[in-house]
Amino acid sequence: MLTLTGPVAREQATGLGDAVFALLAGEETGVVVCDVAGIGPPGLAAVELLARLQLAARRAGGRIRLRGPDPALRALLDLVGIPVEVEGEAEEGEPALGVEVEVEPGEASL
């Protein structure tokens, strides 16, 4: 896990990108969890940092997943079109945990 704290500075991206590579090297799932609860007020520096971390993870064959993002940060990431996963949410194309799919009588269940 990578814990990010604020205030975010542009210079952090290089060192943290290397940290993402290192964490993915030892990770079987290909996911690095980034705890962003303490990142502070979201701004363009935070968005740029997360975009660079996502890019570093993708180059290493993985991805990042956010833990504890502020709703304003999530809205800002959505606004600029940076797709990130959030811990505790279903991945795209998968049903949320606890959701049951209804089957009609006579149909085979999945």
Side-chain angles (χ1 to χ4, degrees):
M1 179 170 51
L2 189 62
T3 302
L4 304 176
T5 57
V8 175
R10 187 176 202 168
E11 299 79 34
Q12 288 175 293
T14 304
L16 290 174
D18 294 339
V20 166
F21 275 116
L23 287 168
L24 281 171
E27 210 31 69
E28 292 178 9
T29 62
V31 176
V32 172
V33 175
C34 295
D35 187 345
V36 294
I39 206 166
L44 292 179
V47 169
E48 181 180 3
L49 175 63
L50 292 172
R52 288 177 181 268
L53 294 181
Q54 182 74 294
L55 180 61
R58 290 192 187 269
R59 285 181 178 161
R63 61 189 189 279
I64 64 170
R65 182 177 297 146
L66 302 183
R67 175 182 289 170
D70 183 275
L73 177 61
R74 292 193 60 199
L76 196 52
L77 290 169
D78 286 341
L79 181 67
V80 297
I82 298 173
V84 292
E85 295 177 21
V86 176
E87 204 171 55
E89 290 184 355
E91 292 184 32
E92 191 172 317
E94 294 183 12
L97 294 176
V99 174
E100 296 180 22
V101 178
E102 193 172 311
V103 178
E104 296 292 326
E107 288 184 3
S109 61
L110 300 175

